[in-house]
Every structure is written in structure tokens, then in C-alpha cells.
Amino acid sequence: MPDSTQGNALTTPQFWGDEFWKLDRDALPELEMDPEHREFAWLHRFLQQHLPQQTGLRLLELGCHPGRFLWYFHTYFRYDVSGVEYVVPAAEMTRQALLAHGVDADIHAADLFDFQPDKDELFDVVASFGVVEHFDDIGPVIRRHGELTRPGGLVVIAVPNHAGINGTILRRIQPEVYAVHNHMSYRDLRTAIDADDHLEFVAGGYQGHFSLAPSNLCPHLRERLPWKAYALFERAYNLSVRLAQHLPNSRWFSPNSVIVARRRSA
């Protein structure tokens, strides 16, 4: 990572290495995602609306472990997919998991700021899902998305929404996890896109009606409550999620923010 951004990251290589070694490495991760699942349907519809679905387009995902989004874009958008992954063994696991699911992807073990494709090998779509929020100043990492995108291509950035209820919960139950996140609002993300001379806003907003996934509350309680108590909580939570489908997307309750931008041709 260049000196200009080394102090800007909220995490370290050691942090991500420790997170990887916590995983069960005896089995490859399952990659298939149901686009109609309540936790993903909103993003699926948004991406279908704003991204081309065309065989042969090239997509790069930054921070691609374990490979679910690469599988998704290859399966539903027919893209040729590649990824950049910070942790070397995580990059290899991602490559193997994709091969096991019939996807031959180029997975590069590199820092996203060090990865340097040739100019004629820039990508039609550059995406990240949960990367930008690990930087204090999000401008340089957003600029990096654009630098890897061909002129006229698209940038997709999704981040967990910690500006509302999810951030409040996470700060109380896991302050150490809260500390490695930038708690930006969607407005902060949009402002950073508008400040980049190479990018032009296409679409975006808070996405999803209500979910506590970014707060880590459900796994936190699952480890601490008796199973009967957790079962009651889970039943109440699932009911609240179904009822919340009638609420508008908002800063307070939506689990994510997402934005699509186009790299300017000039």
C-alpha cells in the first residue's frame, strides 16, 4: 500500500490474517446465493436494474474472499470474473472454491493499491462489497476503483450501514469490531463519489428495509443465550423482518448503502 494511504486504513494485514485463520479451512466455502433470499433480494434487483447482463464483460471484485459475489456475477450476469484478495491463503481458498463451483477466475493475491493491470486490461465493472468502510478517508480507495475501470465502465460499491441502528448495536456489543469501520452514511458515500473527477454518479441509496446483519447481534446472542431463549429471539426477529418489508429504505434501519458510478470517458 502506498505511503499516502498506509495510515488511512483502519485495519492491518495482521488483522485480516487473524480473521482468516479463525475460519474452518477443512472444507471449501459454499458460494451459491439465492437472489430471492430476503437478505439479498434488494441488492439483486438493484444490480439487475443498473448493470448490463452480457457475456464476455470483465468484472473485478476488490476484497473477493470467499468468492460468493464472483460466483453470483458469473452465474447471473455471465461475466468473466477476477478478484483481488489481500490475504494470500484466502486468495487461494477463493480460487479453489470457485473452481469447485465451475468458475475459472483469476484471483490475485495483492493489496488493491499494488495490483496493476495493463492499461488495455482494465475492467468493464469494478466492484467491492464491504471494503471501503475499512478506510478512514474513503476518497483514495474510491479513486482506486475508478483507476481499475475502463472509460465508460461501471463502479459498484456496497458498504454496511452503521449510521443507524446497526452501528449503535455494534458499538455496544463489539466495540473492537466497531473500531475498524468507517461509520459513513449514504450521503458521505455519495459525497465522496461526487468529489472524484473521474466518476459520474448513476444510482444509489440505502438498500434493504430492515436487518440486523451488520450489527452482528444474532451470532453474538447465539453464543450467549440458552438455545430456547435464542429460539424465541430468532422467531421474534424473523417476524419483525417480515413486517419491516413495508417500511421504506432509510438511514436508521436499512442494512446497507450501495452506489453505482460510471468512469468518465475523458
Side-chain angles (χ1 to χ4, degrees):
M1 188 178 294
D3 290 341
S4 60
T5 57
Q6 254 182 354
N8 178 43
L10 295 171
T11 58
T12 64
Q14 180 68 40
F15 173 86
W16 291 115
D18 291 346
E19 288 299 304
F20 174 76
W21 291 113
K22 291 176 184 177
L23 302 176
D24 177 9
R25 298 179 306 283
D26 294 331
L28 292 175
E30 178 56 52
L31 303 185
E32 297 183 12
M33 298 192 296
D34 179 4
E36 300 305 320
H37 189 277
R38 71 185 186 201
E39 299 285 354
F40 186 62
W42 56 267
L43 182 58
H44 177 63
R45 292 192 296 269
F46 177 84
L47 294 174
Q48 283 196 317
Q49 182 178 358
H50 297 291
L51 298 186
Q53 299 175 55
Q54 181 179 334
T55 301
L57 292 184
R58 301 176 66 240
L59 174 136
L60 176 72
E61 183 187 0
L62 304 178
C64 63
H65 181 264
R68 293 189 182 95
F69 278 100
L70 293 178
W71 175 89
Y72 164 78
F73 281 112
H74 179 79
T75 302
Y76 289 96
F77 288 76
R78 307 189 301 279
Y79 291 166
D80 295 332
V81 294
S82 301
V84 173
E85 175 52 50
Y86 204 28
V87 179
V88 173
E92 178 59 23
M93 176 180 280
T94 300
R95 187 188 67 80
Q96 292 180 10
L98 286 164
L99 280 175
H101 286 76
V103 181
D104 187 5
D106 291 327
I107 306 299
H108 305 272
D111 184 290
L112 64 91
F113 290 98
D114 296 333
F115 174 63
Q116 296 290 346
D118 292 336
K119 187 175 181 180
D120 59 353
E121 294 181 350
L122 296 177
F123 294 85
D124 299 291
V125 181
V126 174
S128 69
F129 302 89
V131 171
V132 172
E133 74 275 12
H134 294 296
F135 290 82
D136 187 32
D137 177 4
I138 63 176
V141 69
I142 288 176
R143 186 181 312 117
R144 189 69 183 132
H145 285 66
E147 290 170 349
L148 296 169
T149 308
R150 66 165 179 81
L154 296 172
V155 167
V156 180
I157 296 173
V159 298
N161 173 26
H162 288 153
I165 187 173
N166 278 289
T168 300
I169 295 173
L170 184 64
R171 184 175 67 247
R172 294 184 178 182
I173 67 171
Q174 289 185 300
E176 71 284 359
V177 176
Y178 183 83
V180 298
H181 287 80
N182 180 318
H183 314 293
M184 74 190 85
S185 66
Y186 168 72
R187 176 52 56 187
D188 297 328
L189 181 60
R190 172 67 189 273
T191 297
I193 292 289
D194 291 341
D196 192 310
D197 293 338
H198 297 94
L199 296 177
E200 177 184 16
F201 173 79
V202 173
Y206 290 109
Q207 293 291 323
H209 303 289
F210 169 71
S211 169
L212 294 179
S215 74
N216 291 345
L217 180 62
C218 294
H220 179 81
L221 293 179
R222 188 185 300 118
E223 294 177 357
R224 290 161 175 79
L225 292 178
W227 72 267
K228 288 186 177 180
Y230 181 78
L232 290 174
F233 162 79
E234 188 174 42
R235 186 178 304 173
Y237 171 63
N238 289 335
L239 176 60
S240 67
V241 169
R242 288 195 295 271
L243 294 175
Q245 299 306 303
H246 302 289
L247 295 174
N249 294 353
S250 71
R251 169 176 177 153
W252 299 110
F253 296 111
S254 292
N256 296 281
S257 300
V258 64
I259 206 160
V260 173
R262 179 176 287 105
R263 179 172 175 180
R264 300 180 190 274
S265 296

